Amino acid sequence: MRSSDLPQVRSLELFKSMGDSNFDTLMQAAYLQTFPSQLELIAEGDPADFLYVVIEGCVELFARTNGRESTMGMVHPVGTFILAAVLKDAVYLMSARTCRRSKVLMVPSENIREVFQRDEAFARAIVVELASCYRTVVKEHKDLKLRTAVERLANRLLRYHVDQGESGMLELPHDKRTLASLLGMTPENLSRAFNTLKPYGVVVDGNRISLDDVEALATLAKPNPLIDDRNT
Amino acid sequence: MRSSDLPQVRSLELFKSMGDSNFDTLMQAAYLQTFPSQLELIAEGDPADFLYVVIEGCVELFARTNGRESTMGMVHPVGTFILAAVLKDAVYLMSARTCRRSKVLMVPSENIREVFQRDEAFARAIVVELASCYRTVVKEHKDLKLRTAVERLANRLLRYHVDQGESGMLELPHDKRTLASLLGMTPENLSRAFNTLKPYGVVVDGNRISLDDVEALATLAKPNPLIDDRNT
DNA sequence: TCAAGGCGTTGACTTAGATCAATTCCAGAA
DNA sequence: TTCTGGAATTGATCTAAGTCAACGCCTTGA
């Protein structure tokens, strides 16, 4: 792989604390590939042969059953996905496709499991990473079970707003149909939810949103750190 | 703690492979307590001081926000809960209450984290356990996002049916209001969902259900191993 | 330059599911 | 035994959200 990408990977929490030689082992076994947009990288049900790391671009995790489909999450650089399947040596529970041209690092599962045995620090990092993933899904599950569609959207907007520096403006990181699926609703309903939020100072212009009354929006959204904070 | 309970705990996947002395250390630091029914053991937002193991009885995990409440899971003997919070040294994301008089083992978080460092096998077991928990929630999330209420109920009945030996009869392991909340619906709606399933051979008598036409029910439910199987 | 196709929006309508209220049916306490 | 309160069910109604169809508006590509 290109050496200019290595420091990025190394700086990931997951790989930061492990020994140099073990890191090298992993990287030498890994493949770095660039994929075109809309390519299905993995399909749910397939055995987990690789741990994936998104270096550039964007990857959508989604699930299908019985003809229906739903976006389960989005992975941006530098992030990993399907760690749990790799560690359990099980099949993937989610499919993944690129949202745009993307550079992806693929680390063979065996090597991950092998180094996990050898490297104390890596093992600890994996546990922390896994626990974080777990807690993220629990929060998403709470979000879906305890809130209406409008509330989910309002809280999501507040999150993006904070992420992007609380300037009163924000940009949606994905297109609206993906956002809708992520929030568990149809595109039509998302559009209507935006209209519902208009009286709370939410002004939509394409994928640029301005929040003219964050107070009012927060009163409606009632954000809860045990659902909305990513780092608790 | 009573020595008669020890083998049960020791036989848990999580504790099975660790060293004897480390297991003893954990158990000596632990408290075994019996709690009355409906007692709130932990509240979401509290720091994770203990890992819990249900020895007898039953514990309900639930979450609240903004006046609403939802059951997130049920823990039966012998099972653990809130491992992720303990390992991350973070706050609990869910609350827990006893469903009936229950015997619970409480292992201090510090000891868990300490032994995790020392005991290779324990670390590995923790990773497998965490990965399993993670995959369970992902499946529940898929269930909720991709299926209607009736489908969720149908698949749940099929699961209980298999769990209980496929005799054509099954017993609901919790009362109906809890089941409703677990499946993400109201008690009224659960009652109507049972009626909807009547033409598919589902006969309800209190918490005893008989499935007179498993084929037909399965055709409706369209079970998916990547959602419904607990061990994949 | 003009299609052509995809995304987003809107309107009309349907439907799944929630809410509210009333009733029945127990199981446990007096 | 009777009383009582919670669980479950049912009916009536309401509401959130999905579906279907039409349309505008871009972007892309010939």
Side-chain angles (χ1 to χ4, degrees), chain B residues 109-150:
Chain B
S109 300
E110 300 166 42
N111 299 83
I112 295 284
R113 289 193 291 268
E114 181 210 337
V115 175
F116 168 78
Q117 309 274 25
R118 277 212 309 267
D119 193 306
E120 189 82 13
F122 186 50
R124 217 168 315 129
I126 277 185
V127 164
V128 171
E129 174 80 5
L130 258 185
S132 300
C133 291
Y134 171 72
R135 287 166 68 87
T136 299
V137 192
V138 168
K139 288 173 202 166
E140 282 166 11
H141 203 59
K142 287 168 67 173
D143 192 43
L144 196 60
K145 274 189 115 172
L146 292 164
R147 285 173 170 161
T148 65
V150 172

Side-chain angles (χ1 to χ4, degrees), chain B residues 155-173:
Chain B
N155 280 295
R156 182 60 67 120
L157 292 179
L158 289 173
R159 175 200 292 193
Y160 291 152
H161 186 231
V162 171
D163 288 351
Q164 297 176 23
E166 299 194 84
S167 67
M169 298 288 291
L170 63 94
E171 224 168 285
L172 300 178

Side-chain angles (χ1 to χ4, degrees), chain A residues 44-45 63-66 68-72 82-88 90-94 116-120 123-124 126-128 130-142 144-148 151 181-184 220-227 230-232, chain B residues 44-45 63-66 68-72 82-88 90-94 116-120 123-124 126-128 130-142 144-148 151 181-184 220-227 230-232:
Chain A
E44 43 182 326
R64 266 193 273 253
T65 202
N66 191 16
R68 278 156 278 185
E69 180 180 313
S70 183
T71 303
M72 302 297 287
I82 43 94
L83 179 58
V86 165
L87 291 169
K88 283 205 74 178
V91 299
Y92 299 125
L93 290 181
M94 298 184 277
F116 168 78
Q117 309 274 24
R118 279 213 307 269
D119 195 306
E120 188 84 12
R124 217 169 313 130
I126 277 186
V127 164
V128 171
L130 258 187
S132 299
C133 291
Y134 171 71
R135 287 166 69 87
T136 300
V137 193
V138 168
K139 287 173 202 167
E140 281 165 11
H141 203 60
K142 286 168 68 173
L144 196 61
K145 274 188 116 174
L146 291 164
R147 286 173 170 162
T148 65
E151 289 172 331
S181 186
L182 205 50
L183 294 175
L220 173 92
K222 297 197 180 53
N224 178 339
L226 298 177
I227 299 179
R230 246 92 45 90
N231 300 312
T232 58
Chain B
E44 44 183 322
R64 266 193 273 253
T65 201
N66 191 16
R68 277 158 278 185
E69 182 179 310
S70 184
T71 303
M72 303 296 289
I82 44 93
L83 179 59
V86 165
L87 291 169
K88 283 205 73 177
V91 299
Y92 298 124
L93 290 182
M94 298 185 276
F116 168 78
Q117 309 274 25
R118 277 212 309 267
D119 193 306
E120 189 82 13
R124 217 168 315 129
I126 277 185
V127 164
V128 171
L130 258 185
S132 300
C133 291
Y134 171 72
R135 287 166 68 87
T136 299
V137 192
V138 168
K139 288 173 202 166
E140 282 166 11
H141 203 59
K142 287 168 67 173
L144 196 60
K145 274 189 115 172
L146 292 164
R147 285 173 170 161
T148 65
E151 289 172 332
S181 185
L182 205 49
L183 294 175
L220 173 91
K222 296 194 180 54
N224 178 339
L226 299 177
I227 299 179
R230 246 92 45 90
N231 300 313
T232 59

Side-chain angles (χ1 to χ4, degrees), chain A residues 13-28:
Chain A
E13 284 299 333
L14 191 56
F15 299 115
K16 193 182 280 177
S17 52
M18 69 192 304
D20 279 330
S21 72
N22 288 327
F23 181 72
D24 291 343
T25 303
L26 281 187
M27 291 307 110
Q28 264 154 35

Side-chain angles (χ1 to χ4, degrees), chain A residues 13 44-45 52 55 63 78 108 124 183 195 207 222 229:
Chain A
E13 284 299 333
E44 43 182 326
Y52 288 76
I55 306 291
V78 183
R124 217 169 313 130
L183 294 175
N195 284 329
N207 68 345
K222 297 197 180 53
D229 283 12

